[in-house]
Amino acid sequence: MECFTASEIDEIDRLWRRLPIEHMWTGWATAGEAPEQVWIFRTRAHWRRFPLTKTVRGYVLSDEHGRRVFRAPTLADLLQAVEAVPGLDAVVQD
């Protein structure tokens, strides 16, 4: 896994802050100066946490069980992933 840079963390924060208050992406969290993982929190009927990791080819969003469910070349594409889960049935191979 690759580490997230400070500018990537700032971009995640900017993306999240631009969303309307009622959006399903309810927050995010990470730990450390150069984290290998960011947790995306979302809710519809109940709270869910999705790990976001960085790879050489982009970003991967996984479900609660560690299965890769979405791969995105940019962080801006992350919003599509957050909105698409739980509708995804297939696991993405990286």
Side-chain angles (χ1 to χ4, degrees):
M1 273 189 283
E2 304 278 320
C3 291
F4 285 87
T5 64
S7 63
E8 289 169 320
I9 297 298
D10 289 344
E11 185 176 353
I12 290 168
D13 189 57
R14 278 192 301 277
L15 286 168
W16 179 72
R17 289 181 185 278
R18 283 191 290 212
L19 297 173
I21 193 80
E22 67 277 357
H23 193 272
M24 62 184 67
W25 180 5
T26 58
W28 65 274
T30 192
E33 284 186 37
E36 291 184 348
Q37 193 172 76
V38 173
W39 301 284
I40 303 297
F41 299 96
R42 65 157 286 181
T43 186
R44 188 162 288 201
H46 56 84
W47 289 90
R48 295 178 76 183
R49 179 178 75 170
F50 298 91
L52 175 67
T53 54
K54 181 179 171 182
T55 68
V56 174
R57 295 185 287 184
Y59 304 91
V60 174
L61 190 67
S62 301
D63 67 10
E64 302 98 325
H65 305 290
R67 296 176 296 207
R68 295 174 179 184
V69 294
F70 188 84
R71 185 179 1 180
T74 69
L75 286 169
D77 295 328
L78 174 64
L79 286 177
Q80 291 177 2
V82 171
E83 292 168 351
V85 175
L88 293 176
D89 296 325
V91 175
V92 172
Q93 301 297 318
D94 190 28

